[in-house]
Amino acid sequence: MVVSSTEARADLPDAATTKALGAALAGVLRAGDLVILTGDLGAGKTTLTQGLGAALGVRGQVASPTFIVAREHEPLPREDGTRGPGLVHVDAYRLGSLGELDALDLDSSLEESVTVVEWGRGLAEALTEDRLEIDLERPHGGEVDMDDPSAGVRHVTLRGVGERWATVDLAGLVAGLVPSAEN
Amino acid sequence: MGGMASGDPLVLGIETSCDETGVALVRGNELLVDATASSMDEHARYGGIIPEVASRAHLEAMIPTIGKALGQADVDLSEVDAIAVTAGPGLVGPLTIGTSAAKALAVGLNKPLYGVNHVIGHAAVDQLVDGEFPERVMALVVSGGHSSLLLVDDVATKVTELGSTLDDAAGEAFDKVGRLLGLPYPGGPHIDRLAREGDPEAIRFPRGLTAAKDQEKHAYDFSFSGLKTAVARWVESCRDSGREVPVGDVAASFAAAVVDVLTAKTIAACRRHEVETLVVGGGFSANSQLRELAAKRCAEAGIDLRIPPIRYCTDNGAMIAALGSAVVRAGVAPSSLDFGVDSQMPLTTVSL
């Protein structure tokens, strides 16, 4: 069986645009979706997830999940009283296998949440055939601006794998990104 | 030593938010016993906490640790007046093991149960060492999972969260920089050791959220992510040019940036809120540069600094028994037996 994939690329000039990409993704992500985030320390994985969490409207501060491996954020009620999907934010850096996310002892079911797995490449693919892979690349080495150490363009590649993503316009999604005002 | 000295209730505290199973007995502000079992060695093999491994370890350690605490204090379970347990924040599985044990004890003994906040426990434990808090204290709680600044009007009833980390916790930033430098997990103690051999002023790493533009919205919040990125790129460019990485200087300069921000913001908050006592707690308060700089800056600012010895700063049952004791003595209503654990428990909630 051939698994289809669609791809889009963009440059993210600053952290606000990285958050804006996260916010734009909130518009297409649904409960049960899996996102695999790849990139070095400081590439913007947590920043992107913060933008996503803010736009989804979930409870709690979206921060690095590294220490506790997984953070769960319940959906907050919207103005009309309905709730969207929650957010499960995983750092798989130290996990040897993600064959079973059960090992994370998660409270919420993945079917009810958007699951974002940082450092999940090579592990999380086993979870589902349909997934959105996002690679973030930050400048390597060079001169660091100590007043603004996170500055520098991130190259992002989005790859939708499987039926779920066959009809999603990823290129359109990244085309009109405007830096998020939220900080 | 059954702790018959005072008329205060005898509180059994249970802590299981992460990888330490802690059980302690406190009467008033007197610690009778503090027993801990750790699954740290198991986690070190993975380079970090694995929730399921922690849950299983808690399950295995719970009853032996309770038995050890009671035996060492020569206390019979029937003498316990109240049970306190960590309800959050923390890992869901481990928290569930602890609260289940606490609920079983409360039902079996017919004694009140208090589900309390782990982070506030890191501040409350200081009462066992330095005595009852004065009317208002500032608490800086820093660990692998938390970096929070709390205004404590009453540790049992009124805590305000002034700020927290927006990304990495202080201890977590240390672990990640340890990873960059190729040090074993957890990186914190290794960096602390290497930092002593390096020059903290060798590299001027950035101080997150200290710019004028951040003062309005994030005066008391922390951010260590930009610092981490700066260290990563600095080390990369060093390696790219074929130079040997001056590990001691990187460690010392990085640690200096972290503790500079932590202490500067905390002292500013003390001044702004006219608080004269600062309590520092959490596992990261073991860091030697933090202890030195906090002592220096508090002395300059005329602030009374309270940092308990390191064994009280790591996760333990004493912190939960201490907070439980404060909550019971304040006359707060016990928690309902059907409370659930809360992995994201707000820092304004002392007890459920």
Side-chain angles (χ1 to χ4, degrees), chain B residues 34-92:
Chain B
D34 184 29
T36 306
S38 174
S39 57
M40 186 65 215
D41 291 348
E42 291 164 59
H43 296 293
R45 279 192 289 135
Y46 298 93
I49 314 293
I50 306 298
E52 192 192 28
V53 172
S55 295
R56 204 179 307 127
H58 284 302
L59 196 55
E60 286 166 5
M62 183 55 67
I63 290 174
T65 310
I66 293 172
K68 188 175 159 192
L70 293 168
Q72 282 181 3
D74 194 18
V75 163
D76 189 84
L77 260 186
S78 62
E79 296 173 60
V80 171
D81 296 305
I83 318 282
V85 64
T86 307
L91 299 165
V92 171

Side-chain angles (χ1 to χ4, degrees), chain A residues 42 50 59 61 63-64 66-69 72-73 93-95 103-105 138 140-143 146 149-150 183, chain B residues 46-50 52 55 91 144 166-168 172 176 179 206 217-218 226 229 232-233 236-237 240 342 344:
Chain A
Q50 286 175 335
R59 179 173 171 245
Q61 167 87 36
S64 166
T66 302
F67 184 73
I68 67 167
V69 182
E72 298 169 74
H73 301 277
Y93 184 80
R94 297 177 312 222
L95 299 181
L104 298 179
D105 266 348
R138 67 160 165 80
H140 179 95
E143 277 294 311
M146 292 296 182
S150 301
N183 186 17
Chain B
Y46 298 93
I49 314 293
I50 306 298
E52 192 192 28
S55 295
L91 299 165
L166 302 182
D167 36 61
D168 297 355
E172 180 176 345
K176 284 181 178 169
R179 199 194 283 179
K217 210 173 160 194
H218 296 299
T229 308
R233 290 188 58 188
E236 285 164 4
S237 75
D240 288 351
D342 187 350
Q344 306 269 5

